[in-house]
Amino acid sequence: MKKDIKIVGVISSPNRNGNTASLVREALNGARQEGAIVTEIFLADYKLEFCKGCLMCNVKGECPITDGFEEIRKLIYEADGIILGSPTYALEYNAAMKCFLERLGTYTLYASLLGGKYGVGISTSYNRNGAKNVAKKLTGVFKFGIFERSYISGTLGIHTMVNGVEKKVCESTDDLNKANKLGRKITKDIEGDKKYHFQNIIMRLVVAVYIKPIFKKFILKNKEKKERASYNSLHQRGLI
């Protein structure tokens, strides 16, 4: 049974006290009540440049852009669970979340550095189905583990328009309870090492049979140069 569980909540909303932020914080509160060590990352507090696609993270294990991202990356890599929260913009998660996910980079993907972690997606929207769909999209980052899989503990999408009036989640006991339960659930999943054996099984089979051998060959071929960091991380963890 795992102890000293660390859970990070990433909020991409520009509104510090908005609906999405309230839900993520209540999920973190639920995790804390189950004994987890929780950290909030409010993306608007950080200077984040756009990814330049240089792929130097695969070589050095860090981004060459000198902004606030490496501080965030360290927290993400150290976490056992990650709660991603974004408002719904045009039926997608917003640009700040997209920038964050892109900055995790190919290094995170190739070295499966989200492997073994548990994820949750949270979103809000005026559109009844929009928030649910975006919450699911947020968990997509946990579905493609090449060398080590991740797990999805759940999603939460909240419709915030009622009879033409925007609902304040912070005043909704029902919505906050749902977020709290999800925070508790991800903590219990980590504590109990829940495996979700049939989750995302088709993609996992495709990765195991076709994609992993291709990436393994590529990384081994380039382990001294352009995939040095990817190889070193995988090798140190016994994954290659």
Side-chain angles (χ1 to χ4, degrees), residues 2-231:
K2 186 173 178 58
K3 298 182 179 179
D4 298 324
I5 295 169
K6 296 181 180 180
I7 295 180
V8 171
V10 181
I11 303 170
S12 67
S13 172
N15 189 345
R16 188 177 300 276
N17 296 309
N19 286 328
T20 301
S22 295
L23 291 172
V24 173
R25 290 191 185 113
E26 188 55 37
L28 288 175
N29 185 43
R32 184 187 295 109
Q33 290 168 350
E34 289 295 328
I37 301 165
V38 303
T39 302
E40 176 186 317
I41 298 174
F42 190 74
L43 290 180
D45 285 341
Y46 295 83
K47 179 184 176 184
L48 291 182
E49 302 290 339
F50 295 118
C51 176
K52 301 181 186 302
C54 66
L55 303 180
M56 287 305 296
C57 55
N58 295 44
V59 181
K60 297 184 177 181
E62 60 184 23
C63 183
I65 301 174
T66 55
D67 60 6
F69 185 71
E70 286 306 312
E71 180 182 345
I72 298 174
R73 187 202 295 272
K74 186 174 185 292
L75 292 171
I76 294 297
Y77 287 173
E78 289 177 349
D80 302 294
I82 302 166
I83 300 170
L84 300 178
S86 170
T88 298
Y89 288 4
L91 301 182
E92 293 286 346
Y93 47 78
N94 68 0
M97 180 61 72
K98 190 173 191 297
C99 179
F100 160 73
L101 293 174
E102 288 179 350
R103 288 294 299 279
L104 284 177
T106 51
Y107 173 55
T108 300
L109 173 65
Y110 289 11
S112 295
L113 285 162
L114 297 183
K117 301 184 187 299
Y118 290 73
V120 159
I122 294 177
S123 188
T124 58
S125 175
Y126 293 164
N127 182 284
R128 185 170 297 277
N129 294 317
K132 292 181 180 179
N133 291 334
V134 169
K136 290 179 182 178
K137 287 180 181 180
L138 285 168
T139 61
V141 69
F142 303 107
K143 293 180 179 179
F144 195 70
I146 299 172
F147 293 91
E148 185 179 18
R149 66 171 294 211
S150 307
Y151 308 92
I152 299 170
S153 290
T155 62
L156 178 61
I158 297 297
H159 177 223
T160 58
M161 186 65 72
V162 180
N163 297 324
V165 179
E166 183 179 8
K167 175 174 62 176
K168 292 185 178 180
V169 165
C170 63
E171 298 174 358
S172 171
T173 301
D174 183 54
D175 293 337
L176 293 175
N177 282 342
K178 289 177 182 177
N180 187 281
K181 288 179 181 177
L182 196 51
R184 288 177 177 271
K185 184 175 186 295
I186 188 175
T187 308
K188 290 177 180 177
D189 284 354
I190 296 166
E191 185 178 40
D193 194 27
K194 187 168 183 178
K195 293 303 184 185
Y196 288 102
H197 295 292
F198 298 103
Q199 190 176 83
N200 201 32
I201 192 166
I202 295 176
M203 174 58 77
R204 284 162 49 207
L205 286 171
V206 171
V207 168
V209 175
Y210 296 105
I211 298 175
K212 181 178 176 180
I214 293 172
F215 274 85
K216 182 176 181 179
K217 181 178 179 181
F218 175 75
I219 291 171
L220 287 172
K221 180 180 178 181
N222 296 282
K223 67 179 183 179
E224 301 296 336
K225 293 184 179 180
K226 60 184 179 181
E227 293 299 329
R228 185 171 69 241
S230 303
Y231 171 78

